DNA sequence: ACCTGAACACCGTTCAAGT
DNA sequence: ACCTGAACACCGTTCAAGT
């Protein structure tokens, strides 16, 4: 009879986590539009003003949900790096694949992370760090390539930015459903991402003219 | 004394255009969040239900605003092509610059165009065409390069997609304020875009190993 | 044809009050 | 400390009714 998501104690216990979880579920099921503070509160069995004890406003909840995504992304990058040690070329390609896969597997959350609904300048320090760590993972991979002498000379961060831009663009285009025919199955997405990343990496390489 | 945006006739005359214009202004001033059907109606001097005579729902107004952006993008691409005839390499770089500049000069609208708030699959045929034409402009530029024999062999659309992804990603990152230090002035944006596009294009070129 | 006003079911946010 | 309920100023959308 009791609400399935409600807790019975007056003090919830861990409302903050419950709201993040409820928000993530709402996001997955109803999209960014269906993610409201009031709905997350209801789902957590709490009044619609309770969230304000834990989040300054709606954007703070969105930021917390996005931060989880950036942490997962950072973890995925590190996994790729350790999985292919001493092969910076493969690291870069597979980091790209990981980036795009994370997006297509949770497009609603990716839209939150990448879609511009969150003002990163004004955001929580926690979110800023989470998102920066993800980019730093990419910078390190490019750094490996530079140290191995396979890439052209240049500012590491700018070279890494070019890699970031191409996977970010691809991920964004896919989740915006702009590439329906070219990237419908996950397998197609992986193949396409590898192809695109290889073109890019070939631009990064030292070449004899 | 009369509302500055109001018209006096019972029939507005061109409410559809007025709403698109009002919406575009609201978007520029208040961001996507401030763009409501009710606010656009008020600004056009009309009741809050009048827009439904011209737009099936809110998303249809958003789509109409975005379509203007895609048409401008297509025009910018064509301008680049005619400005640098018989130089597909320069065409590709400058098309990238045009793409990114269009975004940074109207970031709110770009967020609408690229941010995933619009479901392109379900959208108006007009919007679908507008956005496809913009991509086709890029495909043509890559096609020129292939015909000139400067690029590696490959599926035109996939090669063009790689170019699309990198400028799209760069534009998206910039308007999401994720590149504050590297791209604050418009001049910096142009330089950075050229640099990134050159790396990418170098990956597209035929190379002697 | 085109527009209005009332109504409905939602929002985010604030604030005095309760436990 | 943490939570509630009422209140405010908004939304998008529908629908009978007006010109």
């Amino acid at each position: 009879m009791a609400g399935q998501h409600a807790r019975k104690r007056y003090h919830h216990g861990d409302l903050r986590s419950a709201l993040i979880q409820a928000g993530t579920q709402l996001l997955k099921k109803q999209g960014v539009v269906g993610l409201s503070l009031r709905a997350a509160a209801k789902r957590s069995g709490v009044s619609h003003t309770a969230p304000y004890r834990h989040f300054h406003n709606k954007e703070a909840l969105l930021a917390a949900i996005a931060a989880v995504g950036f942490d997962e992304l950072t973890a995925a990058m590190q996994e790729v790096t350790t999985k292919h040690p001493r092969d910076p070329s493969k690291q870069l390609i597979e980091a790209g694949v990981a980036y795009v896969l994370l997006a297509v597997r949770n497009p609603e959350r990716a839209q939150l992370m990448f879609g511009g609904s969150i003002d990163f300048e004004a955001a929580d320090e926690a979110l800023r760090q989470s998102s920066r760590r993800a980019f730093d993972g990419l910078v390190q991979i490019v750094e490996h390539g530079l140290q191995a002498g396979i890439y052209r000379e240049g500012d590491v961060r700018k070279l890494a930015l070019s890699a970031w831009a191409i996977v970010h663009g691809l991920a964004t285009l896919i989740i915006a459903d702009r590439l329906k025919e070219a990237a419908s199955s996950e397998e197609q997405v992986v193949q396409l991402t590898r192809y695109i990343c290889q073109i890019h990496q070939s631009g990064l390489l030292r070449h004899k003219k």
Side-chain angles (χ1 to χ4, degrees), chain A residues 28-123:
Chain A
K28 211 154 192 166
K29 279 178 193 152
Q30 327 233 46
V32 187
V33 172
L35 204 185
S36 71
L37 229 34
R38 288 171 100 113
K42 196 173 200 174
R43 214 183 161 79
S44 305
V46 113
S47 87
H48 69 265
T49 58
Y52 288 90
R53 290 291 122 197
H54 299 278
F55 299 102
H56 201 225
N57 52 29
K58 186 185 180 179
E59 201 173 340
L61 175 59
L62 300 187
I65 293 169
V68 176
F70 284 114
D71 291 342
E72 285 178 19
L73 186 56
T74 306
M77 301 276 240
Q78 280 171 347
E79 203 189 330
V80 161
T81 312
T82 58
K83 198 172 176 180
H84 305 286
R86 308 189 178 283
D87 191 347
S89 170
K90 192 153 206 168
Q91 282 173 7
L92 188 58
I93 303 291
E94 296 309 317
V97 172
Y99 196 103
V100 174
L101 275 184
L102 185 106
V104 300
R105 286 183 179 154
N106 203 337
E108 310 293 353
R109 192 181 60 181
Q111 203 184 116
L112 204 64
M113 294 164 68
F114 306 144
S117 345
I118 296 170
D119 181 354
F120 281 81
E121 287 305 308

Side-chain angles (χ1 to χ4, degrees), chain A residues 117-137:
Chain A
S117 345
I118 296 170
D119 181 354
F120 281 81
E121 287 305 308
D124 221 5
E125 184 56 29
L127 176 64
R128 303 247 294 280
Q129 279 191 13
S130 290
S131 75
R132 190 146 26 82
R133 264 194 291 268
F135 179 52
D136 286 346

Side-chain angles (χ1 to χ4, degrees), chain A residues 99-100 113-115 163-173:
Chain A
Y99 196 103
V100 174
M113 294 164 68
F114 306 144
W164 191 17
I166 202 161
V167 291
H168 186 79
L170 187 55
T172 309
L173 288 171

